Amino acid sequence: MSGNSEIKDRYLKLYKDNIERISGNSSPYINFFREAAFEKFKTLGVPSKKDEAYKYTNLDTFFEHDYKSYFMPAPSDFKKAEEFRCDVPDLDTHGIILLNGFYPTIYDKLRQLPSGVWIGSLNEAAIKFPDKIEKHYGKYAQSETDGLIHLNTSLASDGVFVYVPEGVTLTKPVQVVNLVQSEEDMFNQHRNLVIVEKNAEISLIVCDHTLSPQKFLTNAVTEVFVGENSHFDIIRVQNEHNNACKITHTFIHQEKESVTSSNNITLHGGLIRNSTYHYLGGEKAESYSYGLFLTDKWQHVDNYVNVDHAFPNCTSNQLFKGVLDDMSTGAFAGRILVRKDAQGTNAYQKNNNILLTDDARMFTKPQLEIYADDVKCSHGATIGQLDDDALFYLRSRGINKRDARLMLMFGFAHELIKNIKIEPLRDRMDNLVMQRLKGELSRCASCLVKCDNLQNK
Amino acid sequence: MEKDQNKILSDVTSGEYKYGFYSDIETEQIPKGLSEEVIKVISKKKDEPDWLLEFRLKSYRHWLTLKMPAWAHLEIPPINYQDIIYYAAPRKKETLKSVDDIDPELKKTFDKLGISLEEQKHLAGVAVDAVMDSVSVKTTFRETLAELGIIFCSFSEAVKEYPELVKRYLGTVVPYTDNFFASLNSAVFSDGSFCYIPKGVRCPMELSTYFRINSANTGQFERTLLVADEESYVSYLEGCTAPMRDENQLHAAIVEIVVEKNAEVKYSTVQNWYPGSREGKGGIFNFVTKRGMCKGENSKISWTQVETGSAITWKYPSCVLRGDNSIGEFYSVAVTNNYQQADTGTKMIHVGKNTKSTIVSKGISAGRGQNSYRGLVKVLKNAAYARNFSQCDSLLLGDRCGAHTFPYLEVENQTAIVEHEATTSKIGEDQIFYCNQRGISTEDAIALIVNGYAREVLNKLPMEFAVEAQKLLQISLEGSIG
Amino acid sequence: MLVINNLKASIEGKNILKGVNLEIKPGEIHAIMGPNGSGKSTLASVLAGRDLVKVTEGSVTYFGKNLLEMSAEDRAKEGIFLGFQYPIEIPGVSMVNFMKAAVNEQRKHKGLEPLSASDFLKMMREKKELVEIDSKLANRSVNEGFSGGEKKKNEIFQMAMLEPKLAILDETDSGLDIDALRVVANGVNKIKRPDNSFIVITHYQRLLDYIVPDVVHVLYDGRIVKTAGKELALELEEKGYDWIKKEVENNILA
């Protein structure tokens, strides 16, 4: 179904006015996709509530807005990025900072770590490693229904590139910090590519921050290739202000016997939509997809997960949880697809939500689509309140009602936090979640913006 | 063992449709096609009042603006709505003396289907309205029921005899604008049953409607309206069959139920329309809108369905729980074998406080069948303390079929508790082995396990129907089992 | 310390307790026995302050205070402990955090400083040894994935941590094998002091081989119908509950 035509016209003009500038800064191979992708976007448009996959999320207010600046911050802006410091204690990572979707270093745009791993700008990588880009770029981010993926392919200018050679285990995680900061309201799109060759291992932490109070819209696509017998973890921590909209599409392609996990932790943000696509493209692959969101005020968080079992004997597990306060809304759609010959599949999905007020609303849509018979698949979804029996158990040990509730909510959330294998990050997340539940974190951590003043702006 | 089981499972798919005969009954038909003229002809044939013709025309005009829904997990071949006969009725024989006499051919047909139109021969305690093609041919026990003030008759008769009641309730639960097939039905519906249970009356017998498609090229568009006044109770059954034909036939029905304060309606369906051949040729396209309104406090609707027939089933018996403390239930077994496709489930709309709903759905897929559960549980803002529990299980027999689950949970009230669980699995080899070890053959074991799997739903059916349904379940899945 | 007077209580409109009278003095162990559905667990729930149970008549006095007016957590802080028949699983909440919160709440109530992390862990270690609980259990979420026996041992462990004045053990012996039963009973005996009391609710006499009661009551149809010394438990074990039922019926008839 095609979206709002006015919105489409706006992006058509944007494309025409800027395509030369964008192409000029990109490699020919990446440019090669742009026109066809834009044609596709023209047919599909910006998703509306009529699209089954966006049934509960209205993007119009963000896409109708006239953003002053679309592309390329001035070189002076790069300095700000360098000043940013991650304040998670003891978290030792290889850092990459993206500012408004750009790799903000003038020199050293691509660097090799001692282990042989390359990290840096996608644009730079496209020049340096054309063969690797050609093998993987645009191969996994495919959709016949979501116009935003095509919009990204047609207009994204830069993003993060990570390459892990065969047999390499990177012990320190790579941390990508996505900063959004501008004097003007801004729309930005970036594109990331992660290639993990055979028998390799890497963890990626992606932190989303907004550093100025302007209205922001981000539409990001990440493609991940995980080779045979490799391990890949991605943890996304979202901490943006109430006037920001973040849309992420993550495509994880797995070869046989690989193991991956994805964990989306949304602590704060105006409107957030995370689509995660897991493709189990070889036997005995395993995928774990997690998500946690805590919302209040008018926030809206939508997690969409698609797990595609294309080969036999794979295992997948989804666990998504939400705690909704004030008049916030949440949506979850999880789909398990077991293709015809994917015998021996084990696929599980769970979605639990707690509504804290009468104005909060939750919409959930767990789905199973199964075309093979030798499978064990199940899903469960609940929307409700804290468990009365558990509350009584805690109180019968002398813990007062408020603390008991807090403890139960924390326990509810911790079931997702505990899957983070990087200890300092896990502790930090526990801490932030606790603060958030206590209401002490009414704006995002490490954010200088007084978000409360932005309500309903 | 594995191979053995596969062979049995393939035998299972060789079951024959037992109701596929055609009766050579002289039939009055109108030409193919749909237009305002055709609607006027139907209305005239039924000698309807103007308001009903207006209702039909309004529906037709609305239908023209609609497109066939495409959201279901079904592959529906294009349907040419001009290639269908919208009215067909067994011709009354001149030789019959009184109006109550029935054509012996017709009687034979229903006897063959196991439905006796003679009261004394019929199962005690079940009143039947028998509908063939577009008209009701006989309603039994009308007088007995009338003594209690219960109205049970064909829809056409109700329009003539109780126009005020029909007018008051028609389209109040399923408006003519509801969906594509509901609009079509509202325009061309032929006959069906009407039932009114007065205040404080517990209907002493099961009421049932038996639908039979006989003529070729016709569509069946019946409409059932059931009203349970305060403090009343009725258990209602519905059965259906059709001859085997190579072309598809369309069935688009509407069932509306209104339940007042403290009243309860149990609605059971055993749907056995012709499912098509093993190669997927022919069969009924079954597009049905069924909805009940729990209007008063403490009212209750319980839907039970056993769906074994039809080439395509598109059906979501629903409950609008408007009265405080009202209860909605949905129990379903749906079987798809060979090339059958089903997209079925329910909607539970919680409007009133302390409303409760339960959904138990058991899908069984075999052959190349595609079976989908689709359900909506919606808790509106004022539905405090609403409670829902849904359990949707799928059983796969064979590796070419599919089982799908599409639940939608929408909750807007903090005090509500909504839980959904679903599992998909094949028959456990350990279960079969356990039976084998106790001396039960593999084919008996499969029959036993499938029956056990569906038990929770079959138990909800009235006794006579439960036995029937259990047999049907076996027939539709098996050749050698039994 | 505890005086129950003509206590009547119902659950969802159904009368369960129909006039219970009971007095417990410091240092006493009372066993409450009785057939299924006689109201044993309901009595335990009323004493611990479960909202689900509505008290319709009667009074419960605990150290001179009206117990029924106190919230569940205040009762716990005043030294009442309920060992649950079915301990609740709380995913995501670690045993350490759970117990630390409970112990420190109690200390706060007594006007004491919260325990330091190291003192608290030391206390955990000691008590774990006392009840022979697997030390790994303490690092897991509360009761999550515990076996039946582990859950019951965990209840005794919590009791040891909180040092209650009145502990109510609701069928702590059910589902335990003989070794676990001994561990549970030893735990109780080690915690027992002259100033604390126990109510041991059980079906069977075998737990009372290890925890020797001062008084045995039989609860039947919401009332205490018989009270005697520990020999009553043996008699019940031998004869079953039918003779009690008959006796009660005869009394009503007479």
Side-chain angles (χ1 to χ4, degrees):
Chain A
M1 217 154 290
S2 60
N4 186 321
S5 61
E6 251 175 69
I7 298 179
K8 252 184 350 196
D9 290 346
R10 189 195 304 285
Y11 287 97
L12 187 65
K13 186 172 181 309
L14 171 75
Y15 181 78
K16 282 188 182 146
D17 292 354
N18 293 285
I19 188 64
E20 274 181 29
R21 203 145 62 101
I22 299 165
S23 300
N25 287 295
S26 269
S27 82
Y29 189 75
I30 289 173
N31 288 336
F32 172 75
F33 288 90
R34 297 194 190 275
E35 202 179 322
F38 197 77
E39 284 307 311
K40 199 106 198 193
F41 168 72
K42 270 189 351 202
T43 338
L44 295 168
V46 172
S48 75
K49 293 183 107 172
K50 283 182 184 160
D51 291 277
E52 185 61 26
Y54 286 83
K55 191 175 163 68
Y56 300 115
T57 295
N58 185 354
L59 299 173
D60 287 355
T61 50
F62 280 96
F63 276 89
E64 274 164 8
H65 186 73
D66 196 8
Y67 296 92
K68 302 285 189 308
S69 154
Y70 292 97
F71 300 104
M72 297 179 220
S76 63
D77 288 341
F78 291 143
K79 261 195 212 148
K80 293 175 197 158
E82 286 175 4
E83 285 162 10
F84 182 85
R85 290 286 168 268
C86 176
D87 64 351
V88 180
D90 304 322
L91 181 61
D92 187 10
T93 62
H94 302 288
I96 301 176
I97 288 180
L98 276 192
L99 180 67
N100 302 335
F102 281 81
Y103 196 80
T105 313
I106 306 199
Y107 313 100
D108 198 18
K109 284 192 166 186
L110 198 59
R111 65 186 207 264
Q112 188 170 30
L113 306 175
S115 52
V117 171
W118 285 93
I119 57 176
S121 147
L122 177 67
N123 255 335
E124 199 65 18
I127 297 161
K128 199 173 169 88
F129 304 114
D131 54 324
K132 291 184 173 68
I133 298 292
E134 282 179 33
K135 203 169 159 196
H136 297 287
Y137 181 88
K139 298 290 185 294
Y140 316 117
Q142 294 190 352
S143 172
E144 288 307 311
T145 50
D146 193 336
L148 295 181
I149 292 160
H150 301 287
L151 185 66
N152 179 284
T153 305
S154 64
L155 292 172
S157 305
D158 199 1
V160 170
F161 173 79
V162 175
Y163 180 79
V164 188
E166 189 176 332
V168 170
T169 295
L170 192 68
T171 41
K172 255 203 270 183
V174 170
Q175 183 183 18
V176 178
V177 179
N178 281 317
L179 298 181
V180 184
Q181 183 177 32
S182 164
E183 308 287 304
E184 293 166 303
D185 293 355
M186 193 169 62
F187 173 52
N188 81 67
Q189 304 202 80
H190 56 275
R191 179 74 167 232
N192 308 315
L193 177 62
V194 179
I195 303 166
V196 187
E197 301 282 17
K198 266 193 217 171
N199 305 319
E201 196 172 335
I202 188 175
S203 295
L204 198 61
I205 303 168
V206 181
C207 305
D208 295 339
H209 295 285
T210 44
L211 296 187
S212 62
Q214 278 67 20
K215 192 175 183 109
F216 293 121
L217 169 60
T218 305
N219 178 38
V221 171
T222 305
E223 289 181 287
V224 183
F225 170 86
V226 184
E228 193 179 321
N229 194 33
S230 285
H231 286 241
F232 171 75
D233 296 318
I234 181 167
I235 301 148
R236 204 184 282 281
V237 181
Q238 296 177 315
N239 221 340
E240 300 198 324
H241 65 59
N242 285 332
N243 210 8
C245 170
K246 180 112 202 169
I247 304 166
T248 72
H249 317 261
T250 307
F251 293 84
I252 303 175
H253 172 101
Q254 287 185 243
E255 296 283 291
K256 71 175 185 191
E257 290 167 36
S258 59
V259 182
T260 67
S261 78
S262 155
N263 202 341
N264 291 328
I265 296 166
T266 306
L267 293 167
H268 211 280
L271 192 159
I272 290 193
R273 157 75 177 216
N274 296 313
S275 309
T276 314
Y277 299 81
H278 300 261
Y279 179 77
L280 295 155
E283 281 205 49
K284 294 184 194 157
E286 287 175 42
S287 99
Y288 299 87
S289 199
Y290 305 114
L292 168 70
F293 65 87
L294 310 164
T295 55
D296 61 12
K297 302 198 180 77
W298 293 95
Q299 298 172 347
H300 177 82
V301 176
D302 179 357
N303 278 294
Y304 175 90
V305 190
N306 188 75
V307 178
D308 186 344
H309 281 263
F311 283 80
N313 303 314
C314 293
T315 299
S316 71
N317 210 326
Q318 299 172 41
L319 177 62
F320 282 78
K321 289 188 172 195
V323 180
L324 297 103
D325 203 347
D326 296 340
M327 40 283 190
S328 63
T329 49
F332 170 76
R335 176 170 176 250
I336 295 172
L337 170 65
V338 179
R339 291 183 191 265
K340 199 167 141 279
D341 294 313
Q343 299 293 2
T345 291
N346 286 309
Y348 308 100
Q349 180 190 76
K350 223 168 92 177
N351 172 234
N352 306 115
N353 306 285
I354 294 179
L355 299 181
L356 298 178
T357 70
D358 252 351
D359 292 313
R361 285 174 295 159
M362 180 68 204
F363 308 98
T364 174
K365 215 172 68 172
Q367 307 194 333
L368 300 173
E369 222 174 297
I370 293 160
Y371 299 92
D373 69 332
D374 189 8
V375 298
K376 283 201 187 79
C377 296
S378 71
H379 68 204
T382 59
I383 303 172
Q385 312 92 51
L386 297 173
D387 179 17
D388 268 345
D389 290 336
L391 208 55
F392 175 67
Y393 191 73
L394 293 177
R395 291 175 66 198
S396 81
R397 298 296 182 254
I399 298 166
N400 71 47
K401 207 168 171 176
R402 187 183 170 271
D403 289 348
R405 283 179 64 88
L406 210 56
M407 203 175 241
L408 287 180
M409 280 195 274
F410 177 78
F412 180 82
H414 182 73
E415 274 209 287
L416 284 149
I417 305 294
K418 75 175 184 203
N419 296 311
I420 300 173
K421 290 171 201 144
I422 304 152
E423 208 182 320
L425 186 65
R426 188 173 60 228
D427 292 347
R428 170 66 164 201
M429 284 305 119
D430 269 345
N431 203 325
L432 286 178
V433 165
M434 197 47 155
Q435 282 185 48
R436 184 81 166 92
L437 292 171
K438 280 182 180 163
E440 290 166 6
L441 196 69
S442 60
R443 61 189 175 85
C444 25
S446 66
C447 176
L448 308 168
V449 180
K450 289 280 176 282
C451 218
D452 297 341
N453 305 333
L454 292 171
Q455 283 307 303
N456 308 322
K457 190 177 168 181
Chain B
M1 164 79 202
E2 175 83 352
K3 212 173 169 189
D4 208 28
Q5 196 181 317
N6 285 342
K7 188 190 166 301
I8 287 160
L9 286 177
S10 75
D11 286 349
V12 149
T13 58
S14 63
E16 283 299 332
Y17 188 64
K18 306 267 197 294
Y19 307 92
F21 62 89
Y22 165 70
S23 314
D24 191 8
I25 291 169
E26 208 185 316
T27 307
E28 181 194 0
Q29 292 182 340
I30 61 170
K32 282 181 182 174
L34 182 55
S35 63
E36 294 208 0
E37 276 319 301
V38 167
I39 289 165
K40 284 177 190 159
V41 170
I42 295 172
S43 188
K44 195 161 178 211
K45 280 201 177 294
K46 303 182 92 58
D47 201 13
E48 284 176 355
D50 288 347
W51 64 264
L52 194 53
L53 176 62
E54 270 316 302
F55 176 81
R56 287 176 182 278
L57 291 171
K58 207 164 53 178
S59 307
Y60 175 68
R61 286 167 200 146
H62 183 75
W63 179 73
L64 289 174
T65 68
L66 300 176
K67 271 196 207 136
M68 211 168 107
W71 43 259
H73 193 84
L74 299 169
E75 273 180 39
I76 308 171
I79 297 171
N80 182 353
Y81 290 91
Q82 296 304 336
D83 199 29
I84 293 170
I85 295 169
Y86 287 87
Y87 184 86
R91 201 186 290 278
K92 281 237 154 78
K93 291 221 169 125
E94 307 284 328
T95 50
L96 297 173
K97 286 183 194 97
S98 88
V99 228
D100 279 342
D101 281 348
I102 316 159
D103 180 347
E105 257 322 297
L106 268 176
K107 207 165 79 61
K108 236 162 73 189
T109 302
F110 280 95
D111 280 344
K112 220 165 153 182
L113 295 167
I115 309 292
S116 174
L117 301 181
E118 289 169 72
E119 293 181 4
Q120 62 274 26
K121 279 196 190 163
H122 203 277
L123 278 170
V126 183
V128 182
D129 181 20
V131 177
M132 184 181 280
D133 294 334
S134 302
V135 296
S136 164
V137 294
K138 169 85 184 174
T139 310
T140 62
F141 292 106
R142 279 188 63 174
E143 292 75 21
T144 322
L145 292 167
E147 283 166 24
L148 291 165
I150 296 171
I151 303 169
F152 180 46
C153 62
S154 74
F155 201 93
S156 315
E157 284 167 294
V159 169
K160 290 202 183 79
E161 290 170 35
Y162 313 98
E164 286 314 308
L165 273 179
V166 175
K167 217 170 158 178
R168 191 189 312 159
Y169 291 107
L170 179 73
T172 58
V173 184
V174 181
Y176 72 93
T177 51
D178 195 76
N179 68 70
F180 182 84
F181 297 108
S183 296
L184 178 63
N185 175 289
S186 300
V188 302
F189 70 91
S190 39
D191 215 337
S193 304
F194 175 80
C195 172
Y196 174 81
I197 316 289
K199 232 180 223 183
V201 172
R202 274 187 77 85
C203 184
M205 55 176 80
E206 310 276 349
L207 303 188
S208 84
T209 308
Y210 195 90
F211 296 104
R212 172 73 179 171
I213 293 178
N214 193 50
S215 308
N217 301 318
T218 58
Q220 176 144 334
F221 304 94
E222 84 274 359
R223 185 158 190 132
T224 299
L225 178 55
L226 215 158
V227 180
D229 215 328
E230 290 180 16
E231 323 265 341
S232 69
Y233 167 84
V234 65
S235 168
Y236 195 92
L237 320 170
E238 178 195 78
C240 29
T241 58
M244 295 204 276
R245 287 208 175 84
D246 281 353
E247 68 273 13
N248 299 110
Q249 274 179 285
L250 179 64
H251 170 249
I254 289 180
V255 175
E256 287 183 280
I257 303 178
V258 179
V259 190
E260 302 283 0
K261 197 170 152 186
N262 296 327
E264 179 179 349
V265 171
K266 239 175 104 73
Y267 195 105
S268 313
T269 305
V270 175
Q271 187 264 107
N272 190 24
W273 296 116
Y274 177 53
S277 73
R278 285 180 63 190
E279 292 73 38
K281 242 183 154 188
I284 303 293
F285 291 168
N286 189 32
F287 299 100
V288 177
T289 306
K290 292 183 169 185
R291 193 175 303 146
M293 166 84 76
C294 280
K295 214 169 154 187
E297 282 168 38
N298 303 313
S299 54
K300 180 175 175 183
I301 294 176
S302 180
W303 296 101
T304 305
Q305 60 173 25
V306 176
E307 302 281 314
T308 58
S310 298
I312 295 176
T313 296
W314 180 101
K315 181 180 168 188
Y316 315 92
S318 306
C319 300
V320 180
L321 304 170
R322 216 169 75 185
D324 290 350
N325 309 317
S326 59
I327 297 174
E329 294 177 341
F330 175 76
Y331 295 93
S332 168
V333 174
V335 180
T336 52
N337 194 356
N338 301 320
Y339 284 85
Q340 280 178 277
Q341 305 176 60
D343 192 299
T344 184
T346 184
K347 289 186 202 173
M348 293 290 176
I349 315 292
H350 292 257
V351 185
K353 294 184 177 55
N354 293 314
T355 45
K356 287 194 175 65
S357 63
T358 306
I359 298 171
V360 176
S361 163
K362 304 271 181 181
I364 301 165
S365 313
R368 291 168 185 270
Q370 297 296 330
N371 204 329
S372 303
Y373 166 81
R374 184 181 304 277
L376 169 69
V377 175
K378 192 178 177 83
V379 176
L380 296 178
K381 197 162 163 32
N382 291 324
Y385 303 100
R387 188 84 178 80
N388 159 269
F389 180 74
S390 308
Q391 173 77 45
C392 304
D393 295 329
S394 304
L395 193 64
L396 292 146
L397 309 175
D399 58 2
R400 333 209 51 173
C401 50
H404 321 298
T405 318
F406 304 105
Y408 295 73
L409 282 57
E410 306 183 1
V411 179
E412 307 190 0
N413 186 291
Q414 176 205 1
T415 55
I417 300 180
V418 173
E419 288 174 89
H420 172 96
E421 279 175 21
T423 60
T424 302
S425 52
K426 69 170 188 173
I427 288 188
E429 267 158 42
D430 47 349
Q431 291 172 317
I432 292 176
F433 175 72
Y434 190 78
C435 294
N436 288 156
Q437 206 287 319
R438 298 292 183 265
I440 299 162
S441 72
T442 300
E443 56 183 28
D444 284 351
I446 292 172
L448 207 66
I449 292 163
V450 167
N451 244 306
Y453 168 78
R455 176 100 340 241
E456 198 180 343
V457 174
L458 297 180
N459 277 345
K460 297 284 166 185
L461 289 171
M463 192 61 142
E464 309 83 53
F465 253 43
V467 179
E468 189 65 31
Q470 189 171 330
K471 270 194 254 162
L472 199 58
L473 203 62
Q474 288 187 9
I475 291 164
S476 49
L477 276 173
E478 73 188 39
S480 51
I481 303 169
Chain C
M1 60 163 60
L2 184 79
V3 181
I4 301 175
N5 193 3
N6 190 32
L7 182 69
K8 296 186 183 175
S10 65
I11 297 176
E12 287 173 354
K14 199 176 160 219
N15 295 325
I16 313 274
L17 298 181
K18 301 172 181 172
V20 172
N21 295 296
L22 185 65
E23 183 174 354
I24 293 172
K25 296 197 176 71
E28 288 181 345
I29 297 180
H30 288 238
I32 297 182
M33 303 182 75
N36 278 331
S38 56
K40 301 190 297 289
S41 290
T42 306
L43 179 61
S45 293
V46 170
L47 296 180
R50 184 105 219 243
D51 298 341
L52 194 70
V53 186
K54 298 271 172 281
V55 173
T56 51
E57 215 182 306
S59 66
V60 181
T61 320
Y62 176 69
F63 287 106
K65 285 187 208 157
N66 181 355
L67 186 73
L68 299 177
E69 279 181 354
M70 293 160 75
S71 69
E73 54 266 38
D74 285 345
R75 295 181 202 202
K77 286 183 247 182
E78 290 286 348
I80 288 184
F81 178 89
L82 171 63
F84 284 60
Q85 185 182 358
Y86 305 108
I88 312 295
E89 296 192 10
I90 308 178
V93 176
S94 75
M95 273 305 294
V96 176
N97 283 343
F98 169 55
M99 269 295 102
K100 195 153 69 186
V103 167
N104 284 334
E105 279 291 342
Q106 203 183 50
R107 291 179 66 86
K108 196 164 95 190
H109 185 69
K110 289 178 185 159
L112 299 170
E113 286 294 305
L115 280 181
S116 72
S118 65
D119 284 349
F120 176 76
L121 291 174
K122 191 164 152 254
M123 178 178 176
M124 286 265 286
R125 248 192 331 270
E126 286 168 13
K127 302 293 181 181
K128 269 190 293 201
E129 278 165 25
L130 188 71
V131 296
E132 301 171 47
I133 190 172
D134 187 345
S135 61
K136 271 181 290 188
L137 288 186
N139 298 325
R140 283 161 53 182
S141 292
V142 179
N143 292 323
E144 193 191 24
F146 287 25
S147 71
E150 285 169 341
K151 281 183 184 167
K152 294 299 173 70
K153 280 197 216 168
N154 191 19
E155 294 293 289
I156 301 301
F157 164 68
Q158 291 174 39
M159 180 172 78
M161 290 290 291
L162 296 171
E163 299 174 335
K165 292 182 189 136
L166 173 65
I168 305 151
L169 303 179
D170 188 4
E171 302 211 13
T172 301
D173 53 336
S174 67
L176 291 190
D177 64 30
I178 199 77
D179 291 330
L181 188 68
R182 200 168 28 80
V183 170
V184 165
N186 283 345
V188 172
N189 289 329
K190 281 180 198 160
I191 293 157
K192 193 173 162 0
R193 292 194 313 258
D195 61 340
N196 61 13
S197 308
F198 288 83
I199 297 175
V200 181
I201 294 172
T202 179
H203 244 12
Y204 306 105
Q205 186 270 335
R206 62 172 194 171
L207 179 66
L208 305 179
D209 283 343
Y210 300 96
I211 305 173
V212 183
D214 300 299
V215 191
V216 176
H217 308 275
V218 177
L219 191 66
Y220 175 66
D221 193 23
R223 289 184 192 88
I224 287 176
V225 294
K226 207 168 179 69
T227 299
K230 61 175 187 254
E231 65 288 349
L232 178 59
L234 289 166
E235 202 177 348
L236 285 168
E237 180 81 356
E238 202 180 306
K239 299 187 193 166
Y241 288 109
D242 285 349
W243 65 280
I244 296 260
K245 291 182 193 171
K246 281 201 192 95
E247 221 179 83
V248 171
E249 277 152 24
N250 289 340
N251 282 345
I252 292 166
L253 291 174

